[in-house]
Amino acid sequence: MAPYSLLVTRLQKALGVRQYHVASVLCQRAKVAMSHFEPNEYIRYDLLEKNINIVRKRLNRPLTLSEKIVYGHLDDPANQEIERGKTYLRLRPDRVAMQDATAQMAMLQFISSGLPKVAVPSTIHCDHLIEAQVGGEKDLRRAKDINQEVYNFLATAGAKYGVGFWRPGSGIIHQIILENYAYPGVLLIGTDSHTPNGGGLGGICIGVGGADAVDVMAGIPWELKCPKVIGVKLTGSLSGWTSPKDVILKVAGILTVKGGTGAIVEYHGPGVDSISCTGMATICNMGAEIGATTSVFPYNHRMKKYLNKTGRADIASLAEEFKGHLVPDPGCQYDQLIEINLSELKPHINGPFTPDLAHPVAEVGTVAEKEGWPLDIRVGLIGSCTNSSYEDMGRSAAVAKQALAHGLKCKSQFTITPGSEQIRATIERDGYAQILRDVGGIVLANACGPCIGQWDRKDIKKGEKNTIVTSYNRNFTGRNDANPETHAFVTSPEIVTALAIAGTLKFNPETDFLTGKDGKKFKLEAPDADELPRAEFDPGQDTYQHPPKDSSGQRVDVSPTSQRLQLLEPFDKWDGKDLEDLQILIKVKGKCTTDHISAAGPWLKFRGHLDNISNNLLIGAINIENGKANSVRNAVTQEFGPVPDTARYYKKHGIRWVVIGDENYGEGSSREHAALEPRHLGGRAIITKSFARIHETNLKKQGLLPLTFADPADYNKIHPVDKLTIQGLKDFAPGKPLKCIIKHPNGTQETILLNHTFNETQIEWFRAGSALNRMKELQQ
């Protein structure tokens, strides 16, 4: 066996690994650090400029902003094949960010890689494991106690491998990134689907699974299918009750939950200047709900203002110098163009059960009456990574202050989630938090909380039909409170606040009146608030842990008896044969998000333990055979039982299985557990009409076959009692369909074709059993 150092060197040479992060080489025109926390890691606008010029000369056409940033980070700009929507790009991201629920598996995989340190600046953010119960301070103390083992693992793993660690209570990952790490022109990947939030500061920030993060942390070029670019031209200006959230709610209504798949959404036009930097982040954040690879805004004075206010004037000055590379070229072409006049845009509210069901606020009450949706609002919730900025809190407080002036409080329960410790401390200092408390609100911890199902809700029973309104991003069935009968609607924080005061979906703050305590009617005025504090931000408590310079003595312990953490065992390699007689575990009917495949909420505590979390596999998916969730037929015993139990039975008896899915399978969160779990329990392929981007990649990374029907109508030819054989794997090649033999119980057979999007590298992942296995093979 070769010495360890030699193995690392071989791996780096084989994969084209840079031994040091490219930003360590000083910028020729200026030395500006990426962040205050990494003073020796520099922004490389000079390299961005060089690569853009190489690509522009090759393509001989104007470039979109998305293309400038993406192609500006190519590993080999002179030779990379570039065709939007078709070729795979090899990229060099600037940094990696991980939230605590996904960081566990990402760091476990990085440990398995055998590499000594991360090759790019990387951070871990503790925001997902704090459950909302009674209020911020108490909930945070409880979370620290319950999750001590996991927090210790992440802190020590970060210290050992050179990863910055943001402690619980610091805030939501995307707000922390915006405040400290995002900058115009950055290419950042994060293990959370709402990483695109950083596009509000002019960066290309992309949500990925943990295995992708491991590649980048290992210094391996990261592969991304060359995105198409959807242009959204904004004219007019925002005013009145219309907010940045209404832009993305409108776009979601136009494009639907899959309309952005494989594309970057690029906002441009004169209307952009009427939106604050944090408002642009809101729009980019929720772009995840239309399936977009990411979203981005061009650099402008609003971004400069935000950088200055967050202590990064040096970055703003450098961005000004390179501004020509941080905006689209005149005459650039988009694959699709949408135009929205902000002056004509009305406040929107989307839902229930899907974030693309768009309604003007003025009409949602009438629609709710017609559809039988509950009109009474039980809870209004503001905050989340989408809407928890200083401006958001200020506009909500402006609405609440008017109600208080007339002696009113919220008729609905009301919760507030600050986006970060800095936001919490600043809204406390400036009085916003107290106004929101006075109107009936409870300020929760600086964390994700109810947005991701971390909500110990007590006011209803499971199965009770009810309505909630939130300023969150997703409203899938059961997402917030695990109750499938909760009708969740998403809108702006100020509309949530107004509706919580009125207590009903029938209220339109633009036209309707409220009755004050004195019996007099009054109308709420459109909220007005500062986009940034007039004084400096109050940073609050210091919650950051720097990785030590010398980590040679740092231990990272994982107990073999732990119920929260489990070291990973490599998945089995492909045996070189076609997949014969695959049993159908479940044929899914309708929408199947990553929440359906691997539920969050109480299951978050098992995100570092693959075997335990696999007990939630597909428990939310609807079985087409009986119309029920978590009830499938065991093909051997003919008894119906839970999906995970049936999968474990098949695995124990050596029966390989497949899942049949519908459209946009795996939309939603970036959680790779939705790919790890089926692989762990014996799954070999997922066959659907179409996939969401991140989930499809995650499945490939874990050695599964994500396949699509060449003819979507073939979905109807397969029945849960059939067996499938997938042929053609010996000659598996990019662009070459596979054959699927459908074997019916009556002895008849049908043959259909299955498409795939594997490239040569990804085929090697499949043959090796996983991307991590392939990395280890290259170490030999």
Side-chain angles (χ1 to χ4, degrees):
M1 187 69 165
Y4 172 75
S5 59
L6 181 58
L7 292 180
V8 173
T9 302
R10 285 177 180 171
L11 173 64
Q12 291 172 331
K13 286 182 178 178
L15 297 176
V17 173
R18 52 188 168 192
Q19 306 252 350
Y20 301 98
H21 184 242
V22 69
S24 297
V25 183
L26 303 187
C27 180
Q28 295 175 4
R29 286 150 78 173
K31 285 178 59 176
V32 176
M34 281 185 174
S35 79
H36 297 305
F37 303 102
E38 295 133 356
N40 296 317
E41 298 284 357
Y42 300 101
I43 295 174
R44 288 300 311 275
Y45 282 154
D46 61 329
L47 182 59
L48 186 77
E49 180 179 60
K50 178 183 176 183
N51 290 351
I52 289 171
N53 289 338
I54 292 171
V55 173
R56 183 186 279 112
K57 185 176 180 180
R58 287 181 55 203
L59 298 182
N60 193 29
R61 61 171 173 81
L63 300 177
T64 66
L65 171 60
S66 307
E67 290 180 305
K68 288 182 178 183
I69 301 175
V70 172
Y71 304 162
H73 285 82
L74 284 169
D75 182 52
D76 184 4
N79 299 298
Q80 170 72 61
E81 187 179 358
I82 300 171
E83 186 174 358
R84 294 201 311 217
K86 293 188 177 180
T87 59
Y88 278 86
L89 307 178
R90 289 166 61 85
L91 301 168
R92 292 289 190 178
D94 295 300
R95 63 181 309 118
V96 173
M98 300 168 280
Q99 42 95 336
D100 50 356
T102 50
Q104 296 171 62
M105 200 59 69
M107 292 309 296
L108 286 166
Q109 290 178 85
F110 187 81
I111 291 169
S112 296
S113 75
L115 295 171
K117 291 279 186 182
V118 295
V120 302
S122 304
T123 50
I124 294 169
H125 304 260
C126 294
D127 61 0
H128 270 57
L129 302 180
I130 303 168
E131 184 180 52
Q133 284 192 330
V134 295
E137 195 173 322
K138 290 183 179 178
D139 291 346
L140 180 58
R141 281 202 303 268
R142 180 173 176 270
K144 287 180 177 179
D145 181 54
I146 292 173
N147 302 305
Q148 182 179 6
E149 179 186 11
V150 171
Y151 291 148
N152 179 67
F153 166 73
L154 294 174
T156 56
K160 178 72 173 177
Y161 297 104
V163 179
F165 179 70
W166 288 85
R167 300 183 186 93
S170 59
I172 305 171
I173 177 174
H174 311 303
Q175 184 69 30
I176 297 294
I177 289 171
L178 200 71
E179 292 172 354
N180 298 281
Y181 298 115
Y183 59 84
V186 71
L187 178 59
L188 180 152
I189 68 164
T191 61
D192 189 279
S193 57
H194 292 106
T195 300
N197 191 79
L201 202 42
I204 293 293
C205 303
I206 301 176
V208 299
D212 274 338
V214 172
D215 281 355
V216 177
M217 290 191 293
I220 300 170
W222 175 59
E223 288 198 347
L224 176 72
K225 193 171 189 178
C226 188
K228 294 183 177 181
V229 187
I230 298 173
V232 179
K233 183 178 181 180
L234 302 178
T235 59
S237 60
L238 291 177
S239 62
W241 284 91
T242 307
S243 74
K245 186 68 163 280
D246 297 306
V247 177
I248 185 57
L249 294 177
K250 179 69 173 179
V251 170
I254 295 169
L255 289 176
T256 77
V257 291
K258 63 177 183 177
T261 302
I264 295 175
V265 179
E266 183 172 313
Y267 294 86
H268 62 282
V272 167
D273 285 341
S274 73
I275 306 173
S276 67
C277 178
T278 53
M280 290 186 265
T282 290
I283 295 167
C284 291
N285 177 292
M286 199 174 159
E289 272 50 76
I290 57 173
T293 299
T294 191
S295 302
V296 68
F297 278 82
Y299 177 71
N300 68 0
H301 72 282
R302 308 298 281 262
M303 296 182 191
K304 180 179 180 181
K305 186 177 180 181
Y306 184 80
L307 286 168
N308 287 337
K309 183 60 75 170
T310 52
R312 293 176 287 170
D314 53 348
I315 295 179
S317 296
L318 189 63
E320 287 288 329
E321 184 180 347
F322 287 84
K323 186 174 181 178
H325 301 302
L326 305 174
V327 296
D329 286 339
C332 67
Q333 296 297 307
Y334 297 100
D335 296 285
Q336 180 180 350
L337 184 63
I338 298 168
E339 294 194 32
I340 297 175
N341 186 337
L342 300 179
S343 299
E344 298 175 355
L345 184 63
K346 289 293 185 180
H348 273 63
I349 182 169
N350 289 22
F353 305 123
T354 185
D356 59 351
L357 185 57
H359 321 274
V361 171
E363 299 173 12
V364 70
T366 301
V367 175
E369 282 186 316
K370 180 181 177 182
E371 298 292 337
W373 303 333
L375 290 173
D376 290 341
I377 297 169
R378 299 294 290 268
V379 190
L381 306 98
I382 65 170
S384 86
C385 65
T386 311
N387 277 114
S388 56
S389 67
Y390 184 83
E391 181 182 34
D392 289 327
M393 296 298 162
R395 285 174 67 87
S396 297
V399 175
K401 194 172 182 179
Q402 295 179 61
L404 290 168
H406 290 84
L408 296 186
K409 291 191 174 185
C410 291
K411 289 185 178 178
S412 310
Q413 293 183 41
F414 186 46
T415 70
I416 303 98
T417 304
S420 68
E421 171 61 9
Q422 179 166 277
I423 293 296
R424 183 208 63 77
T426 306
I427 66 172
E428 288 285 1
R429 181 197 67 193
D430 293 351
Y432 291 166
Q434 192 55 50
I435 292 170
L436 296 171
R437 288 192 191 95
D438 289 345
V439 84
I442 296 174
V443 178
L444 301 175
N446 314 322
C448 300
C451 182
I452 60 163
Q454 284 284 47
W455 185 15
D456 186 19
R457 190 177 179 188
K458 300 293 189 184
D459 64 297
I460 61 161
K461 295 179 180 178
K462 190 170 183 178
E464 183 179 343
K465 199 173 180 181
N466 75 103
T467 286
I468 64 174
V469 292
T470 82
S471 69
Y472 301 164
N473 41 55
R474 293 197 177 122
N475 56 351
F476 302 138
T477 302
R479 176 175 173 86
N480 302 123
D481 61 1
N483 179 14
E485 291 300 323
T486 292
H487 293 56
F489 295 82
V490 293
T491 185
S492 68
E494 51 266 48
I495 293 293
V496 171
T497 306
L499 293 178
I501 291 165
T504 176
L505 286 177
K506 289 280 284 183
F507 180 69
N508 176 13
E510 288 191 299
T511 58
D512 295 344
F513 288 80
L514 294 168
T515 302
K517 191 175 182 180
D518 59 3
K520 295 180 180 179
K521 292 188 177 297
F522 71 98
K523 196 169 77 167
L524 293 169
E525 295 180 1
D528 185 33
D530 294 331
E531 64 180 279
L532 295 165
R534 296 179 185 181
E536 297 305 311
F537 275 110
D538 183 339
Q541 299 179 36
D542 182 6
T543 55
Y544 180 70
Q545 172 186 294
H546 290 268
K549 291 182 179 179
D550 181 8
S551 62
S552 57
Q554 180 67 57
R555 290 179 56 86
V556 182
D557 294 323
V558 177
S559 169
T561 60
S562 173
Q563 294 301 302
R564 299 288 302 271
L565 299 165
Q566 180 186 47
L567 293 174
L568 296 175
E569 295 291 332
F571 290 131
D572 59 302
K573 293 179 63 174
W574 175 56
D575 61 8
K577 302 176 183 177
D578 287 336
L579 298 175
E580 300 277 352
D581 292 329
L582 296 173
Q583 191 65 55
I584 296 171
L585 176 66
I586 181 173
K587 182 180 179 182
V588 177
K589 178 183 178 182
K591 185 185 284 285
C592 190
T593 71
T594 48
D595 283 273
H596 294 87
I597 304 167
S598 176
W603 291 96
L604 285 167
K605 61 178 173 286
F606 296 126
R607 284 284 181 89
H609 197 293
L610 180 54
D611 193 58
N612 282 346
I613 200 168
S614 294
N615 288 322
N616 76 359
L617 175 66
L618 285 159
I619 62 175
I622 301 301
N623 180 9
I624 200 168
E625 186 175 7
N626 57 13
K628 296 180 180 179
N630 201 26
S631 175
V632 295
R633 183 194 302 271
N634 183 313
V636 178
T637 68
Q638 293 300 307
E639 297 176 353
F640 280 85
V643 181
D645 293 358
T646 307
R648 287 187 186 278
Y649 180 95
Y650 290 161
K651 181 180 181 180
K652 181 179 178 180
H653 291 84
I655 301 170
R656 295 182 294 185
W657 51 263
V658 63
V659 169
I660 308 299
D662 211 316
E663 294 277 7
N664 207 30
Y665 184 91
E667 69 174 276
S669 165
S670 69
R671 67 192 68 156
E672 66 179 338
H673 301 79
L676 283 160
E677 292 175 34
R679 184 72 165 96
H680 175 63
L681 294 185
R684 295 306 298 154
I686 312 291
I687 305 172
T688 72
K689 294 180 182 178
S690 63
F691 285 97
R693 175 191 64 86
I694 300 176
H695 186 59
E696 181 181 26
T697 301
N698 286 344
L699 291 168
K700 292 177 182 177
K701 288 278 186 179
Q702 303 308 334
L704 282 154
L705 288 172
L707 306 170
T708 56
F709 297 104
D711 180 356
D714 288 343
Y715 170 88
N716 298 315
K717 293 180 179 179
I718 297 177
H719 305 285
V721 292
D722 296 336
K723 289 187 177 182
L724 307 181
T725 292
I726 298 174
Q727 297 180 338
L729 292 174
K730 293 180 181 178
D731 301 313
F732 199 10
K736 185 176 181 180
L738 299 173
K739 283 185 180 180
C740 178
I741 311 300
I742 307 169
K743 300 179 181 180
H744 301 300
N746 63 6
T748 61
Q749 296 185 359
E750 296 181 74
T751 301
I752 62 173
L753 291 179
L754 301 175
N755 291 333
H756 64 84
T757 61
F758 280 80
N759 62 21
E760 290 288 359
T761 299
Q762 295 165 347
I763 290 172
E764 291 302 318
W765 298 344
F766 170 74
R767 289 172 176 158
S770 70
L772 188 58
N773 286 359
R774 179 59 180 156
M775 184 189 296
K776 291 179 178 179
E777 285 180 353
L778 292 169
Q779 292 181 19
Q780 304 305 315

